[in-house]
Amino acid sequence: MATFDQELGHYGWSPDAATATISPEGVVTGWSEGARRLLGYRASEAVGRAAADLLVDRKATGFTAVGSQEWTGTAALRHRDGHRVELTLHARPLLDGAEATQALVVTAATGTAGSARDRRMLEWAFAQSSIALSTYNASSDSWRLNSDARADPLGDARSDEGFLRCVRRVAEKAVPMRYEVFTPAPPSSSATRRRSWIVELWPVRDPDSGEVAGVGTAAFDSSEQYAARQRLALLNEAGTRVGTTLNVGRTAQELADLAVPRLADFASVDLLDSVMRGEEPVPGPVDAAVVLRRVAHQSVTEGADVPEAAVELGGIDTYPPFSPPARSLAGGRPVLSGKEDPDFTRWVAAHEARAAVVREHGFHSVMAVPLRARGIILGVAVFVRAKGSPPFQQDDLVLAEELAGRAAVGVDNARRYTRERTNALTLQRSLLPRDLPQQAAVEVAYRYLPAGTGAGVGGDWFDVVPLSGTRVALVVGDVVGHGIHASATMGRLRTAVRTLADVDLPPDELLTHLDDLVTHLTSDDDNIVRDLPYTGGVGATCLYAVYDPVSRICTLASAGHVPPAVLLPDGSVSIVRLTPGPLLGVGGLPFEATELELPEGSLLAFYTDGLIARDRDVGLGLERLCQALTDTVPSLEDGCDAVLDALLPESPADDVALLLARTRALHADQVAAWALPSDPAIVADARAQASRQLAAWGLQEAAFVTELVVSELVTNAIRYGDVPIGLRLIRDRTLICEVSDASSTAPHLRRARTYDEGGRGLHMVAQLTQGWGTRQTPTGKTIWAEQPLPVG
């Protein structure tokens, strides 16, 4: 009796095919060996069952509807172990002699049950595929590779532990995965410096058992996509790494550091000397045979030195017209060159050091890209590849041009900032005191540090102003904002303070007048202010102090400024408690003065907020200042340096002004004072007393002028002033004569006519002394005259 497979052969079907016969009633009547291998059912288990029982979904196909026509359809069958098997079914009816359907022969189209030629086709396709294909046998832990996979360097990656872990996971979890592999480019390749492969991995199942028998892989060359991703990543990184500071040299170095080794083996940045000097370069391309200064370079060689550089940092080189850098600058376009370019060879040969470097390191490909920003050529960036690296391609040139463009904007911003900062610093320093004036009240030392960051030059200032009666005014202030506008405003305020100090106004009144001035500055010149970088109006702080070495009284008033610190001779240090007034320019609020009696040798520290605001904690900054003053050395100059070192970072974020003043005192043997009645007869006695005091001081040579000054000033006080009247002589670096009275009316010079009996006294005083003036006091006024001490 013939078997079912033999009968299939009789009808022309392959015995190896997955074939079944189904009766018109839908019952399986025949089951081939190929069907068993496909679905796992033996013939005894399948024959006699309803064909619909083999379907996952009984309604998925209508192959049980027996007809007389062939058809093809898809169905999801259930394997004997329960898993789903997707198949393409082909049905053909078996007819008897009366053309009636006896049965339906259903054949499943599968990859495992095809003909021998089909199997050979699969083998041929695997072996001849242009894709690197391979299979991993889990049971034998072995690989089978097609010819393309054997010839490709990807085979080395199959021993990589990361790749093997991925293979094992696909086999264990039965899930497909993707893995990226990187391999060095072959020496003959010119597309990229590194090849990338995307490896697709999928589980391979045994069609009989459904178990994972191994892993299939297909490797696709993704080098171009990888290179494109790298270029995008490099451009993105350039946005955060290039131009981080407003420093020309640092910005150029950031470009070189970014390009090496990801784009080039060596990179250099050369700039026009005019750029380094802060001058405005000429717009448009640069003429050939250009002179450039090396600002930055970098190489793949490890270490601080760059042996590939033919020009040292800061060095100057002249590029001939035919050289790639000069051609790039002249045309304003990037130039791609190399050893095949005669001009490149000629340029290298003309420079002995460059020729030696090219030979030693095998430089063979070069890109010269102009640094151009806002239509101005600033310099050139040169990128070079050495032996072992492929030549530059057009994509590399586009990338280099984009990098150079971004760096050029940073260089130009730094150049502009440097120029503006230099101008502002020059203006600011011209407005600050260069040499403090001679005076006897205090010993002073000072420091001024401009901001070390991109904040710009500020409006901090300080001053020491000698006043009458050996007194001195100590001033420190800070204009809100930065830049030239702040510096110019500072200069106007400093000039105003010196003018008001010359009038000898008390500190609180002086700040009131200064506040009015700032209010006018805010409202005036609106068009000018609007065109300047800082447009927030004028605002400033100021601390004004007057120290009298005779009384040892220091009178202070503050307009929103940080209070000074005082170090007493006993070593105790504290912050002076002031009644703070509003910032200058607020207007409408009063300023209050504070008096402080200081022992001789006390140290006052005046400063701006940049000194104590390092951590934005003013309280902590004041504590550090007090500690630094406690630790200062006797020398005020060294003391300034010690305070700055203790409180400031290496690059302060704001301008800092520091003024240290150690108080002196005039003792009783340097001052003589008398109270005078309002009687014209006392004038002669006042002259005599002054003459005797000069004799006691050994200043007899000054007696004639002093007696004349005393006579004139005392006479005016008796005639025009009110009691009490006082006379005081002060001997210090000069001889000072002061007459005070209770009247606030100030005298003034006038031109006396020929027959006038008066009006000549003050004129003679002004002619015989080196200076005279008047100041208001709480009880009236004081008129003073100052004359130099006799020689010797």
Side-chain angles (χ1 to χ4, degrees), residues 172-358:
E172 294 170 1
K173 303 294 184 181
V175 293
M177 293 186 68
R178 176 176 291 184
Y179 191 83
E180 189 169 17
V181 176
F182 300 101
T183 62
S188 59
S189 173
S190 62
T192 179
R193 310 180 76 189
R194 195 182 188 194
R195 297 188 70 180
S196 170
W197 301 85
I198 295 295
V199 184
E200 298 284 351
L201 302 95
W202 65 91
V204 178
R205 298 179 183 274
D206 186 330
D208 295 331
S209 65
E211 297 179 353
V212 176
V215 176
T217 71
F220 303 91
D221 191 345
S222 60
S223 300
E224 292 300 324
Q225 295 86 341
Y226 171 74
R229 294 200 311 270
Q230 292 299 101
R231 288 193 291 269
L232 288 176
L234 191 61
L235 287 177
N236 182 64
E237 191 173 344
T240 58
R241 286 186 54 184
V242 179
T244 60
T245 64
L246 290 172
N247 181 281
V248 172
R250 182 58 192 159
T251 301
Q253 189 62 51
E254 288 169 346
L255 171 61
D257 293 342
L258 182 67
V260 177
R262 295 166 65 178
L263 177 62
D265 296 318
F266 172 79
S268 65
V269 179
D270 297 347
L271 298 179
L272 297 170
D273 238 6
S274 58
V275 175
M276 302 305 298
R277 294 193 299 267
E279 300 174 359
E280 190 74 22
V282 178
V286 177
D287 292 337
V290 64
V291 177
L292 299 174
R293 185 177 296 276
R294 177 63 51 85
V295 180
H297 52 215
Q298 186 57 276
S299 76
V300 293
T301 305
E302 296 183 359
D305 296 333
V306 181
E308 296 91 337
V311 180
E312 62 181 8
L313 284 179
I316 293 179
D317 193 13
T318 300
Y319 292 88
F322 52 83
S323 66
R327 287 157 51 195
S328 172
L329 292 174
R333 303 286 296 173
V335 171
L336 179 59
S337 182
K339 61 182 181 180
E340 296 83 6
D341 183 358
D343 286 339
F344 173 80
T345 305
R346 179 183 172 194
W347 171 52
V348 170
H351 193 287
E352 182 177 350
R354 184 171 289 112
V357 166
V358 169

Side-chain angles (χ1 to χ4, degrees), residues 394-468:
Q394 193 63 35
D395 288 343
D396 298 318
L397 192 65
V398 173
L399 174 61
E401 185 176 15
E402 182 66 26
L403 291 177
R406 298 192 180 191
V409 172
V411 169
D412 192 50
N413 289 339
R415 177 190 65 83
R416 290 168 178 261
Y417 168 76
T418 301
R419 183 185 62 189
E420 296 300 327
R421 177 178 169 81
T422 300
N423 293 340
L425 279 175
T426 302
L427 172 63
Q428 186 181 47
R429 286 169 177 164
S430 68
L431 297 174
L432 289 172
R434 296 183 180 179
D435 297 311
L436 296 181
Q438 296 293 327
Q439 44 78 38
V442 292
E443 176 192 0
V444 294
Y446 64 90
R447 293 292 185 272
Y448 176 79
L449 296 178
T453 66
V457 177
D460 294 16
W461 93 91
F462 65 92
D463 211 343
V464 176
V465 185
L467 302 176
S468 63

Side-chain angles (χ1 to χ4, degrees), residues 34-57:
R36 183 196 67 78
R37 289 195 298 267
L38 179 62
L39 296 178
Y41 297 101
R42 294 188 295 272
S44 60
E45 296 173 322
V47 174
R49 296 182 60 175
D53 292 345
L54 301 177
L55 301 175
V56 174
D57 183 359

